[in-house]
Amino acid sequence: MRDLLRVPLRILAEDPSALPALGALALLIAWAANQAGFPQTHWAPGGIILLALLVIAVGAIRLRVASIPWPVRIAIAALAAYTAWSFLSILWANVPGDAWEGADRTLVYLIVFALFASFRRTGASAALLLGAWTLAMAGLAVYTVLRVNAASGSAAAVQQLMPEGRLTSPAGYTNANAAMWMMAFYPAWLMAASRRLPALLRGLLAGGAATLAAVALYSQSRGAVYSIPIMLVLVLVLLPGRVRNLITLIPIGLGAGACAPAVLHLAKRIESGGSAASAAHSATLSVLLAAVAVTLVSALIAMLEVRWPAASPTRGRLRTGVGFAGVLAAVVLVVGVLAAVGRPVGRVEHAWNTFTSLKGYAADSSGQSRLTSGFGSNRYDFYRVAWHEFLSHPLIGIGADNFAEQYLRLGHSEETPHYPHSVEMRTLAETGLIGALIALCGLIASLVATRRALRRVDPLAKAVAAAALAGFASWAVHGSFDWFFEYAGLGAAAFALLGLSCSLCPAETAAHSRWMRSFDSQAGNARILVRIGTIVLGLALVGAAAVSLVLPWLSRMEVQSAARAWPTATASAYAELNEAAALNPLSDEPYLVAGSIALRRGELQRADGEFELALRRTPGDVYATLERGAIASTRGQRDAALALLRRASQLAPRDSLITQALAIGRRGGRVSVRQLNRLILHEAQQFP
């Protein structure tokens, strides 16, 4: 045991900045295990922890900005500028409370990126960080499979984990669940291909990759499936070690593929409402056996590779032969798939028609597997509204996380999305061309830093840089058609991976270093003043960041506490909501909750006052407008009720409840507040 710990301890002694990074990775794993860090009450306190880790790392190691390679400095500065722009968008956002929350989430990504990118790492320390995270994610995947197996005896329990046969645990959202596993899959695969790692570790990484891919299939995410070909092309064409990576992928792919029939059978059993116990046992057994088999085979291949000299002609011919066979197998597979599906052009037309159809998911072919039924969803409509908002506000956007109100007004579907379901559309619509250019500048700088890392002499550093970049690319590609930027557990992990790849960027040239030393020596007292000013400014920014994260978090905690306590302690609940409103002066949520409580208690006057306060903060809030209209109607204030109900109808023209309430008001009738809220509650339960 002492020998097993000796190498990691030596690596940590050589790179002290890896210790705070390990703490950050532990937080990312905790987020992954609990709703992927989506609730603000998870990621906001986590962001404070990340900020503390960054301060500790900078203070303990005495980081000098001049020691950071210029592409990394540009990347950090660009992400900081994008974060500042997101905060600035609060000024023109229709829903400033949501804009503050979106800016805070971006701030968390800046912090985690800076924590991983600012400190130059060796290949060994970077491999320790990436390997620890990857294997921990694989372990979480195994735990998830065992949890599904344990719950399979109870229909209610298995439906909770896999509603309609699609795994939602632990992320809480099927597509985010699959994306979380696939983000770890690519680093595990590419790390397993590195000759600089021990054979057993390479085997474990390969087995972990097979497990991650198999568990991702539990969610039946079409986005994950469709992003795989894109990622394979990016990895096998753009990253170094193509033949080696392809050879490593063969046993991983075979192992994951062997699990597919059992996993899909389990999904069908759950979806049909039948007993899932035997199917769950079969799926679990197949995943575990595949993981063990891939681990052993990959470890054996790695051992054989070590025994043969690097320049062995036999080994070279074998690699070439296997690589050729892999390419040939890929070609045969593509041709076979095209032949099996038949009419490839017709399939493409069908996919486009289902994607653009206003029928949403109903446009998919019935009776087929979800993964092959088509592209039916409402994303096309989401993108249409997002693009419309970009064209309407091309320079500055509509404000961070301010999509929901616009979609209620302009959308066509019955869904009420809060986000555009695309990182590109989010950037354009919410932060405009200015935000998009800033983000693009940061991405290009990060890729330049990673490209320099891929040219390093150290093969382990090159392998880790490629693996970390692939993990980030998986998030970016899949996130191009889903709302993963808003999942802090996914976004923070992605920016940590990108930062890790940037941290392997080599140091500046000797000429540049001499110039910096000459500049430092000439600065004299000015350098001391600059250093003091930098420290003061840094501490001020840290304090501002902490306050920005703490206040909305505490406000949300107060709201949740009041929502739980009001049936037995109404006065205390109202007091907590007033405190929440003071803590977050931009959010209308405390007043909305207070108004809803007052309605439940029949306190119409207080409810109307609370909703009026909510509308002062967010004039376009549909719920507060509708409730005030219903309250005015109940009181017999027909003109005021009609004005408010017309306003609500303008804000959400497709809402059937608003349409019905407005029709009643126009006929001279009175809208029943109690009946209206009963229908709102029923609708919320139908579409959570």
Side-chain angles (χ1 to χ4, degrees):
M1 185 67 179
R2 186 177 301 173
D3 292 336
L4 292 175
L5 294 175
R6 188 173 299 166
V7 173
L9 291 176
R10 186 176 71 247
I11 294 173
L12 292 175
E14 294 172 354
D15 181 12
S17 68
L19 279 171
L22 278 175
L25 292 177
L27 176 63
L28 295 180
I29 295 298
W31 278 349
N34 192 350
Q35 302 180 65
F38 177 69
Q40 186 181 30
T41 51
H42 290 187
W43 60 259
I48 297 169
I49 294 173
L50 291 171
L51 182 62
L53 291 173
L54 177 60
V55 171
I56 291 171
V58 171
I61 301 172
R62 297 183 180 180
L63 176 70
R64 296 175 65 249
V65 175
S67 66
I68 305 175
W70 68 264
V72 181
R73 272 179 277 167
I74 293 176
I76 295 174
L79 185 53
Y82 185 78
T83 303
W85 183 250
S86 298
F87 277 105
L88 195 62
S89 73
I90 296 173
L91 298 178
W92 57 81
N94 289 339
V95 189
D98 288 353
W100 190 2
E101 182 176 341
D104 269 347
R105 192 184 295 106
T106 308
L107 173 62
V108 172
Y109 298 162
L110 168 63
I111 293 169
V112 74
F113 179 78
L115 176 60
F116 280 84
S118 299
F119 305 91
R120 288 184 54 244
R121 306 192 190 283
T122 63
S125 63
L128 174 64
L129 294 173
L130 187 57
W133 177 75
T134 302
L135 291 176
M137 288 297 296
L140 180 60
V142 171
Y143 169 77
T144 302
V145 171
L146 295 175
R147 189 180 175 202
V148 171
N149 182 67
S152 61
S154 167
V158 77
Q159 278 289 344
Q160 185 177 6
L161 293 176
M162 295 184 65
E164 299 180 354
R166 302 180 64 198
L167 180 66
T168 60
S169 177
Y173 172 47
T174 52
N175 292 333
N177 220 41
M180 186 171 66
W181 307 127
M182 293 307 295
M183 280 178 61
F185 164 80
Y186 294 101
W189 159 31
L190 297 179
M191 290 272 284
S194 174
R195 290 186 67 247
R196 297 296 174 176
L197 294 177
L200 179 58
L201 179 57
R202 291 175 61 185
L204 289 173
L205 288 167
T211 303
L212 290 163
V215 179
L217 186 59
Y218 271 70
S219 295
Q220 295 194 72
S221 168
R222 291 182 295 189
V225 171
Y226 298 147
S227 67
I228 288 175
I230 301 174
M231 283 300 304
L232 290 180
V233 170
L234 292 176
V235 170
L236 295 177
V237 173
L238 299 181
L239 295 182
R242 299 173 184 84
V243 175
R244 174 180 295 278
N245 294 336
L246 181 59
I247 293 173
T248 306
L249 180 61
I250 292 174
I252 295 173
L254 291 175
C259 303
V263 173
L264 294 178
H265 176 64
L266 170 63
K268 287 183 178 180
R269 293 291 297 174
I270 297 174
E271 187 176 9
S272 64
S275 175
S278 60
H281 296 336
S282 299
T284 302
L285 185 61
S286 66
V287 171
L288 296 180
L289 288 178
V292 173
V294 173
T295 298
L296 295 177
V297 170
S298 299
L300 179 60
I301 294 174
M303 291 177 185
L304 293 175
E305 187 180 24
V306 171
R307 297 175 75 81
W308 282 346
S312 169
T314 303
R315 176 178 161 187
R317 287 193 294 269
L318 179 62
R319 287 184 59 194
T320 303
V322 173
F324 177 77
V327 173
L328 182 62
V331 173
V332 171
L333 178 63
V334 171
V335 173
V337 169
L338 292 177
V341 300
R343 299 177 59 251
V345 175
R347 292 280 183 173
V348 172
E349 292 179 352
H350 172 69
W352 176 253
N353 291 335
T354 55
F355 175 64
T356 58
S357 172
L358 295 179
K359 296 180 180 179
Y361 296 98
D364 291 339
S365 301
S366 59
Q368 294 187 20
S369 168
R370 171 182 169 78
L371 299 178
T372 60
S373 59
F375 287 85
S377 73
N378 293 310
R379 280 170 174 74
Y380 179 80
D381 197 44
F382 302 166
Y383 303 158
R384 179 189 61 81
V385 173
W387 185 250
H388 174 276
E389 291 305 299
F390 167 64
L391 295 179
S392 301
H393 310 82
L395 287 180
I396 62 176
I398 59 177
D401 282 6
N402 265 240
F403 180 74
E405 187 176 280
Q406 307 306 321
Y407 189 80
L408 283 177
R409 183 171 56 89
L410 300 173
H412 291 154
S413 75
E414 294 182 358
E415 288 193 70
T416 56
H418 280 72
Y419 315 107
H421 284 58
S422 168
V423 65
E424 293 87 358
M425 287 297 182
R426 177 196 186 275
T427 304
L428 288 171
E430 297 180 1
T431 60
L433 194 58
I434 294 176
L437 290 176
I438 295 172
L440 183 61
C441 177
L443 178 61
I444 292 174
S446 300
L447 294 178
V448 169
T450 303
R451 179 175 175 80
R452 294 180 63 183
L454 293 175
R455 292 180 172 180
R456 289 183 58 169
V457 177
D458 181 5
L460 182 57
K462 293 167 61 175
V464 176
L469 179 62
F472 171 81
S474 175
W475 172 83
V477 169
H478 193 173
S480 295
F481 33 90
D482 223 316
W483 49 293
F484 295 156
F485 191 91
E486 290 75 23
Y487 262 88
L490 299 183
F495 280 94
L497 293 174
L498 184 62
L500 184 61
S501 67
C502 290
S503 71
L504 292 163
C505 179
E508 306 294 350
T509 61
H512 182 272
S513 299
R514 286 196 299 271
W515 181 85
M516 287 301 300
R517 287 196 298 269
S518 174
F519 177 81
D520 287 345
S521 64
Q522 294 173 8
N525 293 332
R527 186 183 63 177
I528 297 176
L529 293 176
V530 169
R531 181 173 296 180
I532 293 174
T534 301
I535 293 174
V536 172
L537 177 61
L539 291 176
L541 291 175
V542 168
V547 170
S548 181
L549 290 169
V550 166
L551 292 183
W553 165 45
L554 293 180
S555 175
R556 183 63 57 83
M557 294 289 287
E558 294 279 11
V559 169
Q560 292 181 353
S561 175
R564 291 190 300 266
W566 76 266
T568 57
T570 307
S572 176
Y574 282 140
E576 288 179 320
L577 291 171
N578 288 333
E579 180 67 21
L583 288 169
N584 188 341
L586 300 181
S587 175
D588 61 349
E589 184 183 26
Y591 296 129
L592 294 176
V593 175
S596 299
I597 292 173
L599 285 179
R600 296 285 292 272
R601 292 177 52 82
E603 302 170 352
L604 295 186
Q605 183 175 352
R606 176 159 195 161
D608 187 59
E610 297 288 357
F611 289 131
E612 183 181 7
L613 291 173
L615 288 173
R616 289 180 185 176
R617 290 189 173 183
T618 308
D621 188 278
V622 178
Y623 175 67
T625 305
L626 173 61
E627 293 289 9
R628 289 203 71 206
I631 292 171
S633 178
T634 299
R635 290 175 167 178
Q637 302 167 350
R638 186 171 184 272
D639 292 341
L642 284 175
L644 287 165
L645 293 174
R646 287 193 193 101
R647 170 64 174 162
S649 182
Q650 292 170 356
L651 295 172
R654 302 180 318 282
D655 192 298
S656 60
L657 294 181
I658 296 176
T659 302
Q660 294 174 30
L662 181 57
I664 293 173
R666 284 172 173 169
R667 291 197 303 265
R670 294 192 179 187
V671 178
S672 169
V673 174
R674 180 174 299 180
Q675 180 66 16
L676 175 66
N677 283 286
R678 187 180 297 114
L679 292 174
I680 291 175
L681 179 61
H682 175 74
E683 194 172 87
Q685 291 172 343
Q686 294 296 315
F687 304 100

